[in-house]
């Protein structure tokens, strides 16, 4: 952050920088990096994918915490061939959301609200 006396801003900068709000001055797309977690445990990057001060790329394949062959959504339905006991333990504690996600044959607002 930097500060400029109001009189100097009015005289020299107002035409160049008409909006001095934080939102207008911040440029999140230019240098920001965001990390997202997918349901299967995959980590994805969005934005700048370089280490700015070291001029090195950030490679998604190098930041993965779970090997690709072990990535799966822990709440996915079991097909009887689960190899991941931890996923089975998590499923045991899961809440069945099916009644809340059920599709109705008549999706009118009145019909949905009455159910």
């Amino acid at each position: 952050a930097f500060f400029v006396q109001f009189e100097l801003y009015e005289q020299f900068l107002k035409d160049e920088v008409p909006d001095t709000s934080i939102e207008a001055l911040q440029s999140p797309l230019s240098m920001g990096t965001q990390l997202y977690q997918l349901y299967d445990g995959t980590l994805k990057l969005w934005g700048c994918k370089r280490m700015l001060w070291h001029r090195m790329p950030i490679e998604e394949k190098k930041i993965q915490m779970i090997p690709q062959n072990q990535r799966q959504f822990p709440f996915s339905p079991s097909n009887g061939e689960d190899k991941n006991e931890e996923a089975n333990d998590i499923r045991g504690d899961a809440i069945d959301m099916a009644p809340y996600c059920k599709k109705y044959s008549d999706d009118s607002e009145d019909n949905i609200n009455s159910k």
Side-chain angles (χ1 to χ4, degrees):
F2 58 91
F3 300 92
V4 176
Q5 290 180 347
F6 184 74
E7 295 79 22
L8 294 174
Y9 165 76
E10 289 284 320
Q11 186 177 359
F12 298 107
L13 295 172
K14 188 166 181 123
D15 292 336
E16 297 285 330
V17 186
D19 185 355
T20 59
S21 67
I22 290 174
E23 294 80 14
L25 294 174
Q26 182 183 25
S27 179
L29 299 177
S30 66
M31 294 179 12
T33 303
Q34 295 183 8
L35 177 73
Y36 293 94
Q37 300 179 48
L38 303 185
Y39 289 116
D40 68 351
T42 301
L43 298 176
K44 298 295 284 180
L45 295 173
W46 183 83
C48 182
K49 296 179 184 170
R50 296 190 67 77
M51 296 184 67
L52 300 173
W53 317 124
H54 301 287
R55 310 243 191 274
M56 295 173 58
I58 302 172
E59 298 179 38
E60 285 183 0
K61 66 182 179 184
K62 291 185 177 181
I63 66 167
Q64 301 305 317
M65 302 302 296
I66 302 172
Q68 187 172 8
N69 64 351
Q70 294 180 9
R71 291 183 212 154
Q72 66 178 13
F73 180 52
F75 299 108
S76 62
S78 173
N79 63 3
E81 299 177 10
D82 280 328
K83 298 173 186 162
N84 187 343
E85 289 182 27
E86 184 178 344
N88 285 332
D89 291 341
I90 292 172
R91 278 191 209 104
D93 294 335
I95 298 170
D96 182 9
M97 298 299 289
Y100 303 100
C101 302
K102 169 173 129 174
K103 291 187 177 185
Y104 298 99
S105 58
D106 178 7
D107 285 340
S108 70
E109 191 171 324
D110 293 335
N111 190 31
I112 291 172
N113 290 333
S114 68
K115 295 188 179 202

